[in-house]
Amino acid sequence: MDSELMDPWYTLEWFMPSTLKAFSWEYPIFFYLLLAVPLLFVVRWLLRYYFNQKLPVAVSQKDLAASPLNLIRLLPEFLLMLALMLIVTALARPQKTNEKVEQWTEGIDIMIALDISQSMQIEDFTPNRLEAAKKVALDFIKGRLQDRIGLVVFSGDAFSLAPLTTDYDLLRSYINEINFEMIENRGTAIGSAMAVVTNRMRESESKSKVCILLSDGDNTAGNIDPITAAELASAYGIKVYTIVVGKEGLVPYGKDFFGRPNMIENTVDETTLRKMADIGGGQFFRATDNQALVQVFSKIDQYEKAEIKETRFKDTSDYYFIYLQWAVSFFLLWLLLKSTFISNVLQD
């Protein structure tokens, strides 16, 4: 609650510049009438001066001496002017609006399946394919909001490294610890990885379930066909994005005795991963260097955004009655003083 709501109407805080600036004014056009108020009193004085009856009175010179106390007779007029100006202020309707915005989102469930087979040590990426993939995965997690993310790693076998979670610090620590020695069996079990992903996500109640599978080769291990695994994932409503990393042709792999990079022939078969993406209703990507891999994850990040819902509440408080109370007070005071010796009764 605004602290000024607790202030009584008769405090001078209501006339402080900071208080007046904090208001929004519903009808600011009424402020033009403030200029008319003093003009009204000038016209009123001129009419009285020229049209009121004048009574000649003989007084001595010493009685004509001016005194500052004579100005007191102007006090009732000043109070009436203040009352009118405060009425104009009340008509402008000072308000304070407290707008509250509530946002919420229904997160997406995302499983990242990462190939850690020996071929991911190839250095056509900097420093190698696996480290480049880990870096973009870490950056991808940074950009998510309230999404549950899990990790699956695979080589000759596949296992779940992290369940679906919103503990992003835990996920980052798991990703940093990924290495080639985590799975003893050699090969690339893409089908098995897809099956582990499906098993992790099959009981998910999220409206959007996504798998991002990253590999650099063909399915050479495991006892589950990748296409069959993709069809099973699709049956559970899992959208599949597949990413093939690596260049074709001669690529650096390790170093020789003299520290020079060994060059080996590398071939990439996109057919299986492309078909898996088609079945899973996602998209297939090919990344041949670090920048291309960053762009791939950036595209997926844009595609899979949770819908953010927003509700706005406006709480408007009126304060016109404060200035109206001041106006009434000054008006009553004017009526009181108008009937006392302070007024110039000869003017009425």
Side-chain angles (χ1 to χ4, degrees):
M1 180 178 286
D2 219 329
S3 63
E4 289 160 338
L5 285 175
M6 306 301 295
D7 294 334
W9 68 270
Y10 48 81
T11 63
L12 294 178
E13 286 293 324
W14 298 105
F15 299 96
M16 294 297 176
S18 57
T19 302
L20 295 172
K21 285 181 181 178
F23 287 136
S24 59
W25 302 87
E26 182 75 9
Y27 306 113
I29 194 169
F30 279 105
F31 282 123
Y32 289 109
L33 292 179
L34 289 177
L35 301 175
V37 172
L39 183 61
L40 175 65
F41 278 81
V42 171
V43 171
R44 182 167 174 258
W45 179 83
L46 289 173
L47 289 174
R48 282 179 171 179
Y49 183 80
Y50 286 106
F51 295 102
N52 275 16
Q53 288 184 348
K54 297 179 175 59
L55 179 64
V57 178
V59 294
S60 62
Q61 185 67 32
K62 63 177 182 179
D63 293 327
L64 291 175
S67 171
L69 291 175
N70 292 339
L71 297 176
I72 295 178
R73 65 186 179 83
L74 300 177
L75 182 58
E77 296 291 297
F78 180 70
L79 291 174
L80 181 59
M81 184 184 297
L82 281 179
L84 291 175
M85 295 179 79
L86 286 165
I87 289 173
V88 170
T89 304
L91 288 173
R93 198 165 180 177
Q95 296 178 335
K96 283 193 177 181
T97 301
N98 183 20
E99 185 174 32
K100 298 179 182 178
V101 180
E102 290 185 359
Q103 288 185 340
W104 72 96
T105 178
E106 187 170 321
I108 298 171
D109 281 354
I110 302 172
M111 290 295 295
I112 300 175
L114 189 58
D115 186 350
I116 60 170
S117 60
Q118 293 300 306
S119 59
M120 290 291 284
Q121 296 184 62
I122 294 176
E123 297 169 355
D124 50 353
F125 286 69
T126 305
N128 57 45
R129 292 174 178 178
L130 178 59
E131 291 303 318
K134 287 166 59 175
K135 184 178 184 306
V136 294
L138 288 169
D139 292 338
F140 178 77
I141 291 172
K142 284 181 185 177
R144 307 311 295 182
L145 176 66
Q146 295 184 359
D147 297 325
R148 294 197 306 167
I149 301 176
L151 296 171
V152 169
V153 292
F154 64 96
S155 181
D157 292 319
F159 73 88
S160 175
L161 183 61
L164 290 166
T165 179
T166 55
D167 188 345
Y168 297 153
D169 289 335
L170 180 65
L171 287 170
R172 282 189 281 269
S173 67
Y174 278 136
I175 291 175
N176 287 325
E177 293 170 1
I178 292 176
N179 58 74
F180 298 104
E181 284 70 44
M182 297 183 81
I183 299 176
E184 292 184 2
N185 292 344
R186 302 305 179 196
T188 307
I190 296 175
S192 297
M194 195 70 247
V196 173
V197 167
T198 304
N199 188 52
R200 275 294 187 186
M201 303 188 82
R202 62 191 176 91
E203 294 182 357
S204 168
E205 296 180 358
S206 174
K207 291 182 179 179
S208 184
K209 294 181 280 189
V210 176
C211 170
I212 303 173
L213 188 144
L214 187 146
S215 180
D216 67 346
D218 302 328
N219 185 68
T220 59
N223 53 9
I224 302 175
D225 177 62
I227 304 303
T228 302
E231 290 172 344
L232 182 62
S234 179
Y236 281 101
I238 301 171
K239 185 185 290 187
V240 180
Y241 290 96
T242 55
I243 306 170
V244 166
V245 295
K247 299 176 182 177
E248 291 189 290
L250 292 176
V251 292
Y253 181 61
K255 291 182 171 39
D256 62 14
F257 179 77
F258 298 102
R260 295 172 299 186
N262 291 319
M263 304 301 289
I264 61 171
E265 188 70 26
N266 183 65
T267 59
V268 178
D269 183 8
E270 303 176 355
T271 306
T272 300
L273 291 182
R274 188 181 291 275
K275 191 169 182 181
M276 288 176 68
D278 289 340
I279 294 170
Q283 197 168 338
F284 168 82
F285 297 96
R286 175 77 183 274
T288 57
D289 56 34
N290 292 63
Q291 186 57 37
L293 187 58
V294 169
Q295 292 173 356
V296 166
F297 268 81
S298 178
K299 285 182 180 179
I300 296 173
D301 186 49
Q302 292 173 9
Y303 293 155
E304 299 300 330
K305 284 292 187 186
E307 181 183 1
I308 298 176
K309 299 178 181 179
E310 184 177 275
T311 302
R312 292 179 178 267
F313 302 93
K314 270 193 174 182
D315 183 17
T316 302
S317 300
D318 276 304
Y319 293 87
Y320 67 89
F321 60 91
I322 299 290
Y323 300 95
L324 201 55
Q325 285 174 290
W326 274 97
V328 170
S329 299
F330 282 128
F331 182 74
L332 292 175
L333 191 56
W334 171 75
L335 287 177
L336 178 65
L337 295 180
K338 188 174 182 295
S339 304
T340 67
F341 68 93
I342 292 178
S343 295
N344 187 353
V345 294
L346 294 179
Q347 287 186 353
D348 294 334

Coordinates of all heavy atoms in Angstrom, one line a residue, residues 56-90:
P56 N -18.2 59.6 -0.3 CA -17.1 60.6 0.1 C -17.1 60.7 1.6 O -18.1 60.9 2.2 CB -17.5 61.9 -0.6 CG -19.0 61.8 -0.9 CD -19.3 60.3 -1.0
V57 N -15.9 60.6 2.2 CA -15.7 60.7 3.6 C -14.5 61.7 3.8 O -13.5 61.5 3.2 CB -15.4 59.3 4.2 CG1 -15.2 59.5 5.7 CG2 -16.6 58.4 4.0
A58 N -14.7 62.6 4.7 CA -13.7 63.6 5.0 C -12.8 63.0 6.2 O -13.4 62.7 7.3 CB -14.3 64.9 5.4
V59 N -11.5 62.9 6.0 CA -10.6 62.4 7.0 C -9.4 63.3 7.0 O -9.1 64.0 6.0 CB -10.2 61.0 6.8 CG1 -11.4 60.0 7.0 CG2 -9.6 60.8 5.5
S60 N -8.7 63.3 8.1 CA -7.5 64.1 8.2 C -6.3 63.4 7.6 O -6.4 62.2 7.4 CB -7.2 64.4 9.7 OG -6.9 63.2 10.4
Q61 N -5.2 64.2 7.3 CA -4.1 63.6 6.6 C -3.4 62.5 7.4 O -3.0 61.5 6.8 CB -3.1 64.7 6.3 CG -1.9 64.3 5.5 CD -2.3 64.0 4.0 OE1 -3.2 64.6 3.5 NE2 -1.6 63.0 3.5
K62 N -3.4 62.6 8.7 CA -2.7 61.6 9.5 C -3.5 60.3 9.4 O -2.9 59.2 9.6 CB -2.6 62.1 10.9 CG -3.9 62.3 11.6 CD -3.7 62.7 13.1 CE -5.0 62.9 13.8 NZ -4.8 63.2 15.2
D63 N -4.8 60.3 9.2 CA -5.6 59.1 9.1 C -5.4 58.3 7.8 O -5.8 57.2 7.7 CB -7.0 59.4 9.3 CG -7.3 59.9 10.8 OD1 -6.6 59.4 11.7 OD2 -8.3 60.7 10.9
L64 N -4.7 59.0 6.8 CA -4.5 58.3 5.5 C -3.2 57.5 5.5 O -2.9 56.9 4.5 CB -4.5 59.4 4.4 CG -5.8 60.1 4.1 CD1 -5.6 61.2 3.1 CD2 -6.8 59.1 3.7
A65 N -2.5 57.5 6.6 CA -1.3 56.7 6.6 C -1.5 55.2 6.4 O -2.4 54.6 7.0 CB -0.6 56.9 7.9
A66 N -0.7 54.6 5.5 CA -0.9 53.2 5.2 C -0.3 52.3 6.2 O 0.7 52.7 6.9 CB -0.3 52.9 3.8
S67 N -0.8 51.1 6.4 CA -0.3 50.2 7.4 C -0.4 48.8 6.8 O -1.3 48.4 6.1 CB -1.2 50.2 8.7 OG -0.8 49.2 9.6
P68 N 0.7 48.0 7.1 CA 0.7 46.6 6.6 C -0.5 45.8 7.1 O -1.0 44.8 6.5 CB 2.0 46.0 7.2 CG 2.8 47.2 7.4 CD 1.9 48.3 7.8
L69 N -1.1 46.2 8.2 CA -2.3 45.4 8.8 C -3.5 45.6 7.9 O -4.4 44.8 7.9 CB -2.6 46.0 10.2 CG -1.6 45.6 11.2 CD1 -1.9 46.3 12.6 CD2 -1.4 44.1 11.4
N70 N -3.4 46.6 7.0 CA -4.6 46.8 6.1 C -4.7 45.6 5.1 O -5.7 45.4 4.5 CB -4.4 48.1 5.3 CG -4.6 49.3 6.2 OD1 -5.2 49.2 7.3 ND2 -4.1 50.4 5.8
L71 N -3.6 45.0 4.9 CA -3.6 43.8 3.9 C -4.4 42.6 4.4 O -4.7 41.7 3.6 CB -2.1 43.4 3.6 CG -1.2 44.4 2.9 CD1 0.2 43.9 2.7 CD2 -1.8 44.8 1.5
I72 N -4.6 42.6 5.7 CA -5.4 41.5 6.3 C -6.8 41.4 5.7 O -7.3 40.3 5.5 CB -5.5 41.6 7.8 CG1 -4.1 41.5 8.4 CG2 -6.4 40.6 8.4 CD1 -4.1 41.7 9.9
R73 N -7.3 42.6 5.2 CA -8.6 42.5 4.7 C -8.7 41.8 3.3 O -9.8 41.4 2.9 CB -9.1 44.0 4.4 CG -8.3 44.7 3.4 CD -8.8 46.2 3.3 NE -8.0 46.9 2.3 CZ -8.3 46.9 1.0 NH1 -9.3 46.2 0.5 NH2 -7.5 47.6 0.2
L74 N -7.5 41.5 2.8 CA -7.5 40.7 1.5 C -7.5 39.2 1.8 O -7.6 38.4 0.9 CB -6.2 41.0 0.7 CG -6.1 42.5 0.3 CD1 -4.7 42.7 -0.4 CD2 -7.2 42.9 -0.6
L75 N -7.3 38.8 3.1 CA -7.2 37.4 3.4 C -8.5 36.6 3.0 O -8.3 35.5 2.4 CB -7.0 37.2 4.9 CG -6.9 35.8 5.4 CD1 -5.7 35.1 4.7 CD2 -6.7 35.8 6.9
P76 N -9.7 37.1 3.2 CA -10.9 36.3 2.7 C -10.9 36.1 1.2 O -11.2 35.0 0.8 CB -12.1 37.2 3.1 CG -11.5 38.0 4.3 CD -10.1 38.3 4.0
E77 N -10.5 37.1 0.4 CA -10.4 36.9 -1.0 C -9.4 35.9 -1.4 O -9.6 35.1 -2.3 CB -10.0 38.3 -1.7 CG -11.1 39.4 -1.5 CD -12.3 39.1 -2.2 OE1 -12.3 39.0 -3.5 OE2 -13.4 38.8 -1.6
F78 N -8.3 35.9 -0.7 CA -7.2 34.9 -1.0 C -7.7 33.5 -0.6 O -7.4 32.5 -1.4 CB -6.0 35.2 -0.1 CG -4.8 34.3 -0.3 CD1 -4.1 34.3 -1.5 CD2 -4.5 33.4 0.7 CE1 -3.1 33.4 -1.6 CE2 -3.4 32.5 0.6 CZ -2.7 32.5 -0.6
L79 N -8.4 33.3 0.5 CA -9.0 32.0 0.8 C -10.0 31.5 -0.2 O -10.0 30.3 -0.6 CB -9.6 32.1 2.2 CG -8.7 32.3 3.4 CD1 -9.5 32.5 4.7 CD2 -7.7 31.1 3.5
L80 N -10.8 32.5 -0.7 CA -11.8 32.1 -1.8 C -11.1 31.6 -3.0 O -11.5 30.7 -3.7 CB -12.7 33.2 -2.0 CG -13.8 33.0 -3.1 CD1 -14.7 31.8 -2.7 CD2 -14.6 34.2 -3.3
M81 N -10.0 32.3 -3.4 CA -9.2 32.0 -4.5 C -8.6 30.6 -4.4 O -8.6 29.7 -5.3 CB -8.1 33.0 -4.8 CG -7.3 32.7 -6.1 SD -5.9 33.9 -6.3 CE -6.8 35.4 -6.4
L82 N -8.0 30.3 -3.2 CA -7.5 29.0 -3.0 C -8.5 27.9 -3.0 O -8.3 26.8 -3.6 CB -6.8 28.9 -1.6 CG -5.4 29.6 -1.4 CD1 -5.0 29.5 0.0 CD2 -4.4 28.9 -2.3
A83 N -9.7 28.2 -2.5 CA -10.8 27.2 -2.6 C -11.2 26.9 -4.0 O -11.3 25.7 -4.4 CB -12.0 27.7 -1.8
L84 N -11.2 27.9 -4.9 CA -11.6 27.6 -6.3 C -10.5 26.9 -7.0 O -10.7 26.0 -7.8 CB -11.8 29.0 -7.0 CG -13.1 29.7 -6.6 CD1 -13.2 31.1 -7.3 CD2 -14.3 28.9 -6.9
M85 N -9.2 27.2 -6.7 CA -8.1 26.5 -7.3 C -8.0 25.0 -6.9 O -7.7 24.1 -7.7 CB -6.8 27.2 -7.0 CG -6.7 28.6 -7.6 SD -5.2 29.5 -7.2 CE -4.1 28.7 -8.4
L86 N -8.4 24.8 -5.6 CA -8.4 23.4 -5.1 C -9.6 22.6 -5.8 O -9.4 21.4 -6.0 CB -8.5 23.4 -3.6 CG -7.2 23.8 -2.9 CD1 -7.5 24.1 -1.5 CD2 -6.2 22.7 -3.0
I87 N -10.7 23.3 -6.0 CA -11.8 22.6 -6.7 C -11.4 22.2 -8.1 O -11.7 21.1 -8.6 CB -13.0 23.5 -6.7 CG1 -13.6 23.6 -5.3 CG2 -14.1 23.0 -7.7 CD1 -14.8 24.7 -5.2
V88 N -10.7 23.1 -8.8 CA -10.1 22.8 -10.1 C -9.2 21.6 -10.0 O -9.2 20.7 -10.9 CB -9.4 24.0 -10.7 CG1 -8.7 23.6 -12.0 CG2 -10.4 25.1 -11.0
T89 N -8.3 21.5 -9.0 CA -7.4 20.4 -8.9 C -8.2 19.1 -8.7 O -7.8 18.1 -9.2 CB -6.5 20.7 -7.7 OG1 -5.8 21.9 -7.9 CG2 -5.4 19.5 -7.5
A90 N -9.2 19.2 -7.9 CA -10.0 18.0 -7.6 C -10.7 17.5 -8.9 O -10.8 16.3 -9.2 CB -11.1 18.2 -6.6

